[in-house]
Amino acid sequence: MAGAYQDKQAVSGLLADGDPVIYTGFDAEVPFESGHLVFRTTVISAGTVGSEFFMTKGHHHIRDSAELYVGMSGEGIMVMESRGGDFACEPLTPSAAVYVPPGWAHRTVNTGSEPLSFLSVYFGDAGHDYESVEKSGFSRRVHRGETGPELRETAAE
Amino acid sequence: MAGAYQDKQAVSGLLADGDPVIYTGFDAEVPFESGHLVFRTTVISAGTVGSEFFMTKGHHHIRDSAELYVGMSGEGIMVMESRGGDFACEPLTPSAAVYVPPGWAHRTVNTGSEPLSFLSVYFGDAGHDYESVEKSGFSRRVHRGETGPELRETAAE
């Protein structure tokens, strides 16, 4: 997911240093079919690429449908953006539920110093569209600022 | 939900003592519509009716669809029964996810000495059918036994 981060020089440095695993997902054995609820645990390591916090690639669902996240450990932020360009973010903390409404692209960001782990639940037939997020990206990104996480506009490439 | 428990004399006693609140649900503000995932926190008090542990009424979904439970605090058991009469149960403990597949009636039982709280997630258009559970009931129930929770066959009324 080298392309996801803003600072291309920092990405090159990380890749040269051995291409670290930034996040890992553990899937429950549930059919990817209508009527089922798929659930997954994701763990995002703590760290930054340049000043941008480690995060997931982010995706839309192919079939517009909601996803629910429940924080398990660590501290993070859920970043959401609608197809119409509305932007929102919510803290993702232990035992807190964060709702991603149908039609919003979403990405999770680890803003803490420990691994961020969470449960996510979505429709078995939701499908994942990573491509449109790769193309259009999110309009804002979460960086390590002087006093804590900061939202900054995505710079034109 | 007086009718849900096996021991009718114990039910009458409880009602005479002031009809205690056995469980309470707190709903998130999510539309009960297709594409949405409704989520709710439920808290079941600790206690028994006769020897039968405090529990939820139990339900089928009107539209066969899965439900996911995540334990938050306390100790309990998820009781599940398919329309074909297959029976299953799973422990419901903090941070554990329990999957209820489409087409299975389900009920949660507090088998501990503290309140049992959990998150449940289901399809916005799932609908709730409490009636068929009221009529046919679950074939087994969870009682306080000498050394811990015990599953016992539901006696004919």
Side-chain angles (χ1 to χ4, degrees), chain A residues 1-59:
Chain A
M1 59 174 290
Y5 294 93
Q6 186 85 63
D7 184 337
K8 300 310 173 199
Q9 200 174 340
V11 169
S12 306
L14 259 189
L15 291 176
D17 279 353
D19 196 5
V21 173
I22 290 181
Y23 67 102
T24 318
F26 304 90
D27 284 302
E29 289 184 10
V30 171
F32 287 87
E33 288 168 13
S34 171
H36 284 277
L37 282 178
V38 179
F39 57 106
R40 169 185 291 181
T41 303
T42 302
V43 181
I44 309 180
S45 303
T48 56
V49 177
S51 64
E52 203 178 348
F53 284 112
F54 281 1
M55 60 185 181
T56 60
K57 210 164 182 176
H59 62 270

Side-chain angles (χ1 to χ4, degrees), chain A residues 30-31 33-39 63-68 70 72 95 97-99 101-102 119-125, chain B residues 30-31 33-39 63-68 70 72 95 97-99 101-102 119-125:
Chain A
V30 171
E33 288 168 13
S34 171
H36 284 277
L37 282 178
V38 179
F39 57 106
R63 179 190 156 223
D64 274 356
S65 52
E67 183 158 353
L68 183 69
V70 183
M72 289 293 167
S95 294
V98 176
Y99 192 66
L119 179 82
S120 57
V121 190
Y122 53 96
F123 288 63
D125 58 354
Chain B
V30 172
E33 288 168 12
S34 171
H36 283 277
L37 282 177
V38 180
F39 57 106
R63 177 190 158 224
D64 275 356
S65 52
E67 184 158 349
L68 183 69
V70 182
M72 289 291 165
S95 294
V98 176
Y99 192 67
L119 178 84
S120 57
V121 190
Y122 53 97
F123 288 63
D125 59 353

Side-chain angles (χ1 to χ4, degrees), chain B residues 17-81:
Chain B
D17 279 353
D19 195 4
V21 173
I22 290 180
Y23 67 100
T24 316
F26 304 90
D27 284 303
E29 287 182 13
V30 172
F32 286 86
E33 288 168 12
S34 171
H36 283 277
L37 282 177
V38 180
F39 57 106
R40 170 185 290 182
T41 303
T42 301
V43 181
I44 309 180
S45 303
T48 57
V49 177
S51 62
E52 201 176 350
F53 285 111
F54 281 1
M55 61 186 179
T56 59
K57 211 163 181 177
H59 62 269
H60 266 292
H61 294 148
I62 292 169
R63 177 190 158 224
D64 275 356
S65 52
E67 184 158 349
L68 183 69
Y69 285 74
V70 182
M72 289 291 165
S73 66
E75 280 178 33
I77 291 179
M78 169 73 69
V79 171
M80 293 172 274
E81 192 156 340

